[in-house]
Amino acid sequence: MGVSLTKYHAQYFAYELTRSRAADDQGKFTASLQDATVDLNPHQVEAALFAFKSPLSKGALLADEVGLGKTIEAGIILSQKWAERKRKLLIIAPANLRKQWNQELADKFFLPSTIIEAKSFNQVIKSGNLNPFEQNEILICSYQFARSKESYLRPVQWDLVIIDEAHRLRNVYRPDNKIGKSIKSALAHTQKVLLTATPLQNSLLELYGLVSIIDDYTFGDLKSFKSNYARISDGEHSLEREIKDLDAEIRLRKAEARKLSDLESKVQERRHVKELEKQRDEKRRHLFEKLVISGTDDFFPELQELCRKAGVKVVHTPCLPKAPLHGSTRWVKGNPLIQLSNRLNRNDIFWFTFFHEAAHILKHNKKDVFVEGMEYSCDGKEKEAEANAFAEECLMSRKEEKELMVSGAGF
């Protein structure tokens, strides 16, 4: 039996359904969730409102524990966007969760969605749509697919992108994180909501990585973030200060030595400078040793910064197919450059390669170019052997090796 409404009630209901509300008003979802078949918990509504809190926001990171309904929170947000007739919506999720997202959106929120993969992608192109991401419905794809179709994702004016299990992108700040960098670049100007139960696992830098996907300017660059938030022990601070003070004293002593006219005084001053340089280099070595044994995943930016302070540029160069190179050393416009590929992704190989290449800078001619696998002359072979010995000494000195063998540790 139909319900009879007076003109007054009809106008009132129409007003309530179309009324514009503040972003953090719970009534905002009244119309968009009227058909939803899900019992909402207060924290889920609050999380969804948080994502809408500011119209100028570039997104949000929702990090509820496992089982507290992050999918429901995302469904609320998608329902609101759908009610606003915003149709450029994308969900990026692990491949094994795509079907689950498709089913839950249909069953709980009555939202239509399509899983887009290679087969369906090609079919859409054959039908005449040259960019299958340009569809007026919710699209669901995997991380790997999003990365492979970066050029198709980029031009779409997305209304919202949901990234599930976003902790997979936590190392986006690292040079070798190809999937993270591709997705971040393709969706740079898009509003995003990241879902993860574990925004932090091993390092505070993982939080920096996730937040940078939403907005690169929240924490600034990596160096600024570390300066403001990373915990560096008093010992490391003290060591860095001592190195800085020694550098300043060395520069001062060198300037004074140049002014001296007495040869004996000049020689004495230069000897003192060499002693100071020896002390500084020993302290720098201690910093490198701490970095080597730290075991953290985020050591590469710290390594680059330490080397930069010493006037050496270190870059990561992905290993090319059929080019099994670990590293190379050369001088570019008078400045030393070390390239590392991190081939085989093993810390022992990485650090041996780094110190091997560093030896070429410290001990050998600027005109020499050292690339692994090259055929060298007798002189070149001697230099390679010298670099190997230097790397061995840096990672485990003869004294440390002897002590290890005597103690029998690890055997």
mmCIF file of all heavy atoms in Angstrom, residues 211-249:
data_model
loop_
_atom_site.group_PDB
_atom_site.id
_atom_site.type_symbol
_atom_site.label_atom_id
_atom_site.label_comp_id
_atom_site.label_asym_id
_atom_site.label_seq_id
_atom_site.Cartn_x
_atom_site.Cartn_y
_atom_site.Cartn_z
ATOM 1 N N VAL A 211 52.569 8.506 3.819
ATOM 2 C CA VAL A 211 51.998 9.854 3.801
ATOM 3 C C VAL A 211 52.426 10.600 2.537
ATOM 4 O O VAL A 211 51.661 11.384 1.974
ATOM 5 C CB VAL A 211 52.392 10.631 5.069
ATOM 6 C CG1 VAL A 211 51.964 12.094 4.975
ATOM 7 C CG2 VAL A 211 51.764 9.984 6.302
ATOM 8 N N SER A 212 53.637 10.336 2.056
ATOM 9 C CA SER A 212 54.113 11.025 0.850
ATOM 10 C C SER A 212 53.309 10.629 -0.385
ATOM 11 O O SER A 212 53.250 11.383 -1.356
ATOM 12 C CB SER A 212 55.598 10.724 0.616
ATOM 13 O OG SER A 212 55.793 9.390 0.176
ATOM 14 N N ILE A 213 52.679 9.458 -0.358
ATOM 15 C CA ILE A 213 51.826 9.047 -1.480
ATOM 16 C C ILE A 213 50.605 9.963 -1.553
ATOM 17 O O ILE A 213 50.132 10.315 -2.641
ATOM 18 C CB ILE A 213 51.385 7.573 -1.313
ATOM 19 C CG1 ILE A 213 52.602 6.656 -1.435
ATOM 20 C CG2 ILE A 213 50.332 7.187 -2.350
ATOM 21 C CD1 ILE A 213 52.317 5.214 -1.086
ATOM 22 N N ILE A 214 50.098 10.355 -0.382
ATOM 23 C CA ILE A 214 48.943 11.261 -0.333
ATOM 24 C C ILE A 214 49.372 12.693 -0.636
ATOM 25 O O ILE A 214 48.781 13.371 -1.469
ATOM 26 C CB ILE A 214 48.262 11.186 1.051
ATOM 27 C CG1 ILE A 214 47.751 9.757 1.308
ATOM 28 C CG2 ILE A 214 47.117 12.184 1.145
ATOM 29 C CD1 ILE A 214 47.276 9.528 2.726
ATOM 30 N N ASP A 215 50.418 13.139 0.070
ATOM 31 C CA ASP A 215 50.860 14.530 -0.098
ATOM 32 C C ASP A 215 52.355 14.614 0.185
ATOM 33 O O ASP A 215 52.808 14.367 1.300
ATOM 34 C CB ASP A 215 50.095 15.441 0.867
ATOM 35 C CG ASP A 215 50.383 16.920 0.639
ATOM 36 O OD1 ASP A 215 51.261 17.222 -0.184
ATOM 37 O OD2 ASP A 215 49.735 17.759 1.282
ATOM 38 N N ASP A 216 53.113 14.977 -0.835
ATOM 39 C CA ASP A 216 54.574 15.058 -0.711
ATOM 40 C C ASP A 216 55.020 16.155 0.237
ATOM 41 O O ASP A 216 56.163 16.150 0.701
ATOM 42 C CB ASP A 216 55.195 15.317 -2.087
ATOM 43 C CG ASP A 216 55.840 14.067 -2.659
ATOM 44 O OD1 ASP A 216 56.294 13.239 -1.847
ATOM 45 O OD2 ASP A 216 55.875 13.907 -3.885
ATOM 46 N N TYR A 217 54.139 17.107 0.543
ATOM 47 C CA TYR A 217 54.545 18.285 1.305
ATOM 48 C C TYR A 217 54.171 18.217 2.781
ATOM 49 O O TYR A 217 54.470 19.140 3.539
ATOM 50 C CB TYR A 217 53.934 19.541 0.678
ATOM 51 C CG TYR A 217 54.390 19.751 -0.749
ATOM 52 C CD1 TYR A 217 53.582 19.386 -1.814
ATOM 53 C CD2 TYR A 217 55.646 20.287 -1.029
ATOM 54 C CE1 TYR A 217 53.999 19.554 -3.129
ATOM 55 C CE2 TYR A 217 56.080 20.454 -2.340
ATOM 56 C CZ TYR A 217 55.250 20.091 -3.389
ATOM 57 O OH TYR A 217 55.681 20.249 -4.675
ATOM 58 N N THR A 218 53.529 17.145 3.208
ATOM 59 C CA THR A 218 53.140 17.036 4.622
ATOM 60 C C THR A 218 54.366 16.996 5.522
ATOM 61 O O THR A 218 54.450 17.711 6.525
ATOM 62 C CB THR A 218 52.296 15.767 4.851
ATOM 63 O OG1 THR A 218 51.109 15.850 4.060
ATOM 64 C CG2 THR A 218 51.909 15.636 6.319
ATOM 65 N N PHE A 219 55.325 16.151 5.203
ATOM 66 C CA PHE A 219 56.543 16.019 5.997
ATOM 67 C C PHE A 219 57.765 16.647 5.322
ATOM 68 O O PHE A 219 58.849 16.649 5.905
ATOM 69 C CB PHE A 219 56.846 14.546 6.271
ATOM 70 C CG PHE A 219 55.892 13.892 7.228
ATOM 71 C CD1 PHE A 219 55.330 12.669 6.931
ATOM 72 C CD2 PHE A 219 55.577 14.493 8.431
ATOM 73 C CE1 PHE A 219 54.459 12.049 7.817
ATOM 74 C CE2 PHE A 219 54.705 13.894 9.324
ATOM 75 C CZ PHE A 219 54.151 12.665 9.021
ATOM 76 N N GLY A 220 57.615 17.147 4.109
ATOM 77 C CA GLY A 220 58.771 17.679 3.396
ATOM 78 C C GLY A 220 59.602 16.558 2.799
ATOM 79 O O GLY A 220 59.122 15.437 2.618
ATOM 80 N N ASP A 221 60.869 16.839 2.522
ATOM 81 C CA ASP A 221 61.721 15.803 1.931
ATOM 82 C C ASP A 221 62.235 14.858 3.018
ATOM 83 O O ASP A 221 62.027 15.072 4.212
ATOM 84 C CB ASP A 221 62.883 16.422 1.144
ATOM 85 C CG ASP A 221 63.799 17.269 2.023
ATOM 86 O OD1 ASP A 221 63.664 17.211 3.261
ATOM 87 O OD2 ASP A 221 64.649 17.980 1.469
ATOM 88 N N LEU A 222 62.920 13.806 2.575
ATOM 89 C CA LEU A 222 63.375 12.764 3.493
ATOM 90 C C LEU A 222 64.332 13.310 4.546
ATOM 91 O O LEU A 222 64.248 12.949 5.726
ATOM 92 C CB LEU A 222 64.055 11.648 2.682
ATOM 93 C CG LEU A 222 64.432 10.374 3.441
ATOM 94 C CD1 LEU A 222 63.194 9.733 4.045
ATOM 95 C CD2 LEU A 222 65.134 9.395 2.513
ATOM 96 N N LYS A 223 65.208 14.202 4.131
ATOM 97 C CA LYS A 223 66.182 14.763 5.070
ATOM 98 C C LYS A 223 65.484 15.562 6.166
ATOM 99 O O LYS A 223 65.823 15.449 7.351
ATOM 100 C CB LYS A 223 67.161 15.654 4.298
ATOM 101 C CG LYS A 223 68.283 16.210 5.156
ATOM 102 C CD LYS A 223 69.228 17.054 4.325
ATOM 103 C CE LYS A 223 70.322 17.671 5.200
ATOM 104 N NZ LYS A 223 71.244 18.521 4.421
ATOM 105 N N SER A 224 64.480 16.358 5.789
ATOM 106 C CA SER A 224 63.736 17.155 6.776
ATOM 107 C C SER A 224 62.983 16.264 7.750
ATOM 108 O O SER A 224 62.943 16.529 8.956
ATOM 109 C CB SER A 224 62.744 18.083 6.062
ATOM 110 O OG SER A 224 63.404 18.948 5.177
ATOM 111 N N PHE A 225 62.383 15.189 7.215
ATOM 112 C CA PHE A 225 61.634 14.270 8.077
ATOM 113 C C PHE A 225 62.560 13.636 9.110
ATOM 114 O O PHE A 225 62.230 13.558 10.294
ATOM 115 C CB PHE A 225 60.980 13.185 7.222
ATOM 116 C CG PHE A 225 60.220 12.168 8.026
ATOM 117 C CD1 PHE A 225 58.930 12.427 8.457
ATOM 118 C CD2 PHE A 225 60.791 10.948 8.359
ATOM 119 C CE1 PHE A 225 58.223 11.492 9.211
ATOM 120 C CE2 PHE A 225 60.104 10.012 9.107
ATOM 121 C CZ PHE A 225 58.811 10.291 9.527
ATOM 122 N N LYS A 226 63.714 13.177 8.651
ATOM 123 C CA LYS A 226 64.657 12.546 9.583
ATOM 124 C C LYS A 226 65.119 13.542 10.640
ATOM 125 O O LYS A 226 65.244 13.194 11.817
ATOM 126 C CB LYS A 226 65.867 12.014 8.813
ATOM 127 C CG LYS A 226 65.608 10.723 8.066
ATOM 128 C CD LYS A 226 66.901 10.220 7.473
ATOM 129 C CE LYS A 226 66.699 8.851 6.870
ATOM 130 N NZ LYS A 226 67.969 8.305 6.358
ATOM 131 N N SER A 227 65.365 14.748 10.210
ATOM 132 C CA SER A 227 65.828 15.778 11.141
ATOM 133 C C SER A 227 64.789 16.068 12.224
ATOM 134 O O SER A 227 65.125 16.272 13.390
ATOM 135 C CB SER A 227 66.143 17.056 10.361
ATOM 136 O OG SER A 227 66.459 18.104 11.229
ATOM 137 N N ASN A 228 63.509 16.054 11.843
ATOM 138 C CA ASN A 228 62.440 16.423 12.777
ATOM 139 C C ASN A 228 61.921 15.267 13.624
ATOM 140 O O ASN A 228 61.505 15.459 14.763
ATOM 141 C CB ASN A 228 61.271 17.038 12.011
ATOM 142 C CG ASN A 228 61.599 18.404 11.446
ATOM 143 O OD1 ASN A 228 62.331 19.160 12.063
ATOM 144 N ND2 ASN A 228 61.086 18.709 10.268
ATOM 145 N N TYR A 229 61.917 14.050 13.035
ATOM 146 C CA TYR A 229 61.209 12.951 13.707
ATOM 147 C C TYR A 229 62.044 11.715 13.996
ATOM 148 O O TYR A 229 61.721 10.959 14.905
ATOM 149 C CB TYR A 229 60.002 12.521 12.859
ATOM 150 C CG TYR A 229 59.049 13.649 12.568
ATOM 151 C CD1 TYR A 229 59.000 14.246 11.315
ATOM 152 C CD2 TYR A 229 58.190 14.132 13.553
ATOM 153 C CE1 TYR A 229 58.132 15.285 11.038
ATOM 154 C CE2 TYR A 229 57.317 15.175 13.292
ATOM 155 C CZ TYR A 229 57.292 15.750 12.034
ATOM 156 O OH TYR A 229 56.434 16.778 11.759
ATOM 157 N N ALA A 230 63.084 11.456 13.188
ATOM 158 C CA ALA A 230 63.834 10.209 13.382
ATOM 159 C C ALA A 230 64.628 10.271 14.672
ATOM 160 O O ALA A 230 65.200 11.307 15.013
ATOM 161 C CB ALA A 230 64.763 9.953 12.196
ATOM 162 N N ARG A 231 64.696 9.145 15.344
ATOM 163 C CA ARG A 231 65.440 9.081 16.601
ATOM 164 C C ARG A 231 66.887 8.687 16.316
ATOM 165 O O ARG A 231 67.179 7.579 15.904
ATOM 166 C CB ARG A 231 64.819 8.033 17.537
ATOM 167 C CG ARG A 231 63.467 8.444 18.076
ATOM 168 C CD ARG A 231 62.939 7.405 19.030
ATOM 169 N NE ARG A 231 61.656 7.791 19.577
ATOM 170 C CZ ARG A 231 60.949 7.025 20.407
ATOM 171 N NH1 ARG A 231 61.397 5.839 20.755
ATOM 172 N NH2 ARG A 231 59.788 7.431 20.862
ATOM 173 N N ILE A 232 67.783 9.615 16.550
ATOM 174 C CA ILE A 232 69.198 9.330 16.394
ATOM 175 C C ILE A 232 69.812 9.364 17.779
ATOM 176 O O ILE A 232 69.562 10.279 18.565
ATOM 177 C CB ILE A 232 69.878 10.371 15.482
ATOM 178 C CG1 ILE A 232 69.197 10.370 14.112
ATOM 179 C CG2 ILE A 232 71.354 10.107 15.351
ATOM 180 C CD1 ILE A 232 69.700 11.454 13.194
ATOM 181 N N SER A 233 70.596 8.366 18.108
ATOM 182 C CA SER A 233 71.138 8.271 19.459
ATOM 183 C C SER A 233 72.087 9.433 19.747
ATOM 184 O O SER A 233 72.677 10.023 18.850
ATOM 185 C CB SER A 233 71.895 6.941 19.625
ATOM 186 O OG SER A 233 73.058 6.955 18.815
ATOM 187 N N ASP A 234 72.259 9.732 21.043
ATOM 188 C CA ASP A 234 73.156 10.807 21.444
ATOM 189 C C ASP A 234 74.572 10.540 20.957
ATOM 190 O O ASP A 234 75.311 11.454 20.601
ATOM 191 C CB ASP A 234 73.142 10.972 22.969
ATOM 192 C CG ASP A 234 71.812 11.534 23.451
ATOM 193 O OD1 ASP A 234 71.115 12.162 22.638
ATOM 194 O OD2 ASP A 234 71.491 11.348 24.634
ATOM 195 N N GLY A 235 74.938 9.238 20.940
ATOM 196 C CA GLY A 235 76.279 8.870 20.480
ATOM 197 C C GLY A 235 76.501 9.241 19.033
ATOM 198 O O GLY A 235 77.563 9.754 18.659
ATOM 199 N N GLU A 236 75.499 8.993 18.181
ATOM 200 C CA GLU A 236 75.629 9.329 16.759
ATOM 201 C C GLU A 236 75.674 10.833 16.568
ATOM 202 O O GLU A 236 76.443 11.351 15.759
ATOM 203 C CB GLU A 236 74.463 8.720 15.976
ATOM 204 C CG GLU A 236 74.573 7.219 15.806
ATOM 205 C CD GLU A 236 73.405 6.662 15.040
ATOM 206 O OE1 GLU A 236 73.228 7.027 13.871
ATOM 207 O OE2 GLU A 236 72.658 5.858 15.629
ATOM 208 N N HIS A 237 74.832 11.557 17.326
ATOM 209 C CA HIS A 237 74.854 13.021 17.259
ATOM 210 C C HIS A 237 76.240 13.542 17.646
ATOM 211 O O HIS A 237 76.784 14.425 16.994
ATOM 212 C CB HIS A 237 73.806 13.613 18.205
ATOM 213 C CG HIS A 237 72.455 13.757 17.580
ATOM 214 N ND1 HIS A 237 72.268 14.404 16.380
ATOM 215 C CD2 HIS A 237 71.226 13.351 17.997
ATOM 216 C CE1 HIS A 237 70.975 14.392 16.071
ATOM 217 N NE2 HIS A 237 70.335 13.756 17.037
ATOM 218 N N SER A 238 76.773 12.963 18.730
ATOM 219 C CA SER A 238 78.074 13.385 19.227
ATOM 220 C C SER A 238 79.156 13.124 18.185
ATOM 221 O O SER A 238 80.029 13.972 17.951
ATOM 222 C CB SER A 238 78.385 12.639 20.524
ATOM 223 O OG SER A 238 79.676 12.936 20.968
ATOM 224 N N LEU A 239 79.098 11.950 17.560
ATOM 225 C CA LEU A 239 80.087 11.583 16.551
ATOM 226 C C LEU A 239 80.025 12.521 15.353
ATOM 227 O O LEU A 239 81.059 12.967 14.838
ATOM 228 C CB LEU A 239 79.847 10.135 16.106
ATOM 229 C CG LEU A 239 81.033 9.368 15.512
ATOM 230 C CD1 LEU A 239 82.235 9.400 16.445
ATOM 231 C CD2 LEU A 239 80.624 7.933 15.220
ATOM 232 N N GLU A 240 78.818 12.837 14.915
ATOM 233 C CA GLU A 240 78.663 13.757 13.777
ATOM 234 C C GLU A 240 79.184 15.152 14.127
ATOM 235 O O GLU A 240 79.791 15.822 13.280
ATOM 236 C CB GLU A 240 77.193 13.815 13.356
ATOM 237 C CG GLU A 240 76.733 12.556 12.650
ATOM 238 C CD GLU A 240 75.311 12.667 12.117
ATOM 239 O OE1 GLU A 240 74.647 13.676 12.419
ATOM 240 O OE2 GLU A 240 74.881 11.756 11.409
ATOM 241 N N ARG A 241 78.926 15.577 15.364
ATOM 242 C CA ARG A 241 79.424 16.893 15.793
ATOM 243 C C ARG A 241 80.954 16.916 15.815
ATOM 244 O O ARG A 241 81.581 17.898 15.405
ATOM 245 C CB ARG A 241 78.873 17.239 17.180
ATOM 246 C CG ARG A 241 77.464 17.811 17.167
ATOM 247 C CD ARG A 241 77.137 18.490 18.491
ATOM 248 N NE ARG A 241 77.207 17.555 19.601
ATOM 249 C CZ ARG A 241 76.163 16.842 20.028
ATOM 250 N NH1 ARG A 241 74.989 16.962 19.434
ATOM 251 N NH2 ARG A 241 76.292 16.030 21.059
ATOM 252 N N GLU A 242 81.555 15.825 16.304
ATOM 253 C CA GLU A 242 83.016 15.745 16.359
ATOM 254 C C GLU A 242 83.615 15.803 14.956
ATOM 255 O O GLU A 242 84.636 16.464 14.735
ATOM 256 C CB GLU A 242 83.434 14.446 17.064
ATOM 257 C CG GLU A 242 83.193 14.465 18.563
ATOM 258 C CD GLU A 242 83.536 13.135 19.205
ATOM 259 O OE1 GLU A 242 84.339 12.380 18.616
ATOM 260 O OE2 GLU A 242 82.986 12.835 20.280
ATOM 261 N N ILE A 243 82.992 15.095 13.998
ATOM 262 C CA ILE A 243 83.472 15.113 12.613
ATOM 263 C C ILE A 243 83.364 16.515 12.038
ATOM 264 O O ILE A 243 84.284 17.003 11.364
ATOM 265 C CB ILE A 243 82.679 14.105 11.759
ATOM 266 C CG1 ILE A 243 82.994 12.675 12.194
ATOM 267 C CG2 ILE A 243 82.999 14.275 10.271
ATOM 268 C CD1 ILE A 243 82.099 11.625 11.567
ATOM 269 N N LYS A 244 82.248 17.172 12.322
ATOM 270 C CA LYS A 244 82.042 18.544 11.836
ATOM 271 C C LYS A 244 83.082 19.492 12.421
ATOM 272 O O LYS A 244 83.649 20.350 11.715
ATOM 273 C CB LYS A 244 80.625 18.998 12.211
ATOM 274 C CG LYS A 244 80.173 20.269 11.517
ATOM 275 C CD LYS A 244 78.715 20.553 11.826
ATOM 276 C CE LYS A 244 78.257 21.838 11.128
ATOM 277 N NZ LYS A 244 76.839 22.145 11.428
ATOM 278 N N ASP A 245 83.367 19.342 13.729
ATOM 279 C CA ASP A 245 84.358 20.193 14.384
ATOM 280 C C ASP A 245 85.758 19.947 13.812
ATOM 281 O O ASP A 245 86.530 20.891 13.605
ATOM 282 C CB ASP A 245 84.366 19.940 15.894
ATOM 283 C CG ASP A 245 83.096 20.441 16.572
ATOM 284 O OD1 ASP A 245 82.377 21.267 15.953
ATOM 285 O OD2 ASP A 245 82.803 19.991 17.697
ATOM 286 N N LEU A 246 86.075 18.671 13.557
ATOM 287 C CA LEU A 246 87.381 18.335 12.984
ATOM 288 C C LEU A 246 87.526 18.920 11.578
ATOM 289 O O LEU A 246 88.596 19.417 11.206
ATOM 290 C CB LEU A 246 87.577 16.818 12.951
ATOM 291 C CG LEU A 246 87.945 16.158 14.291
ATOM 292 C CD1 LEU A 246 87.846 14.651 14.189
ATOM 293 C CD2 LEU A 246 89.355 16.565 14.720
ATOM 294 N N ASP A 247 86.447 18.847 10.788
ATOM 295 C CA ASP A 247 86.465 19.431 9.440
ATOM 296 C C ASP A 247 86.770 20.923 9.501
ATOM 297 O O ASP A 247 87.564 21.450 8.715
ATOM 298 C CB ASP A 247 85.116 19.202 8.738
ATOM 299 C CG ASP A 247 85.063 17.874 8.010
ATOM 300 O OD1 ASP A 247 86.131 17.411 7.583
ATOM 301 O OD2 ASP A 247 83.961 17.320 7.868
ATOM 302 N N ALA A 248 86.105 21.599 10.441
ATOM 303 C CA ALA A 248 86.308 23.044 10.585
ATOM 304 C C ALA A 248 87.751 23.353 10.992
ATOM 305 O O ALA A 248 88.380 24.278 10.453
ATOM 306 C CB ALA A 248 85.335 23.600 11.621
ATOM 307 N N GLU A 249 88.297 22.548 11.927
ATOM 308 C CA GLU A 249 89.675 22.777 12.375
ATOM 309 C C GLU A 249 90.674 22.490 11.263
ATOM 310 O O GLU A 249 91.673 23.207 11.109
ATOM 311 C CB GLU A 249 89.977 21.895 13.594
ATOM 312 C CG GLU A 249 91.317 22.224 14.231
ATOM 313 C CD GLU A 249 91.575 21.446 15.507
ATOM 314 O OE1 GLU A 249 90.660 20.741 15.981
ATOM 315 O OE2 GLU A 249 92.707 21.545 16.022
#
